[in-house]
Amino acid sequence: MASRLRKKATGWGARIRFGENLGRDEWITVDLPHDQEPQAKDRLGRLQAMAKRLSELGKHAEARPLLEEAGATRAERGFRAVEAMVEALSPETTARKKAVTFRAVVQDLCDGT
């Protein structure tokens, strides 16, 4: 089932997939009032992205508490803090480039590479 929003008595509910291989399909409460539907839709996408990232990292036990914490925060700043926590769980994704010296460039030119 795809991610979706549903109006609840106190705000919004977000149905997202999380856990191992994104195998669980459950509701997470998004603590935003009914008049903030665009923001709730934005959070839905961001929650699903966090769930996917946690699944890729194998952090299945941490998924539900982090997603519930993100959904429970009303302020954008708090939501971004949870997103940063999820990113902090991941190893460095960008490999640093090896510094190239002039000598290495000349050697590569002479070698034909």
Side-chain angles (χ1 to χ4, degrees), residues 1-72:
M1 166 171 264
S3 304
R4 65 184 177 124
L5 280 178
R6 177 176 74 182
K7 270 190 178 181
K8 298 177 89 180
T10 59
W12 294 96
R15 189 169 187 98
I16 60 172
R17 292 183 169 272
F18 63 92
E20 190 170 0
N21 298 321
L22 302 177
R24 296 179 71 175
D25 192 20
E26 295 188 25
W27 288 99
I28 301 291
T29 299
V30 177
D31 190 18
L32 290 174
H34 291 141
D35 63 345
Q36 293 186 1
E37 185 175 3
Q39 292 89 339
K41 286 181 180 179
D42 176 58
R43 295 247 177 122
L44 171 66
R46 291 163 66 192
L47 281 167
Q48 189 61 63
M50 280 192 281
K52 182 179 179 194
R53 186 73 185 132
L54 289 165
S55 178
E56 290 169 351
L57 295 169
K59 306 287 185 181
H60 310 301
E62 294 92 334
R64 185 167 192 77
L66 284 169
L67 295 171
E68 285 179 341
E69 184 178 344

Side-chain angles (χ1 to χ4, degrees), residues 94-113:
T94 57
R96 294 190 176 252
K97 288 187 175 183
K98 184 179 172 185
V100 179
T101 63
F102 180 74
R103 174 176 276 191
V105 171
V106 172
Q107 185 66 40
D108 287 345
L109 285 172
C110 292
D111 293 342
T113 57

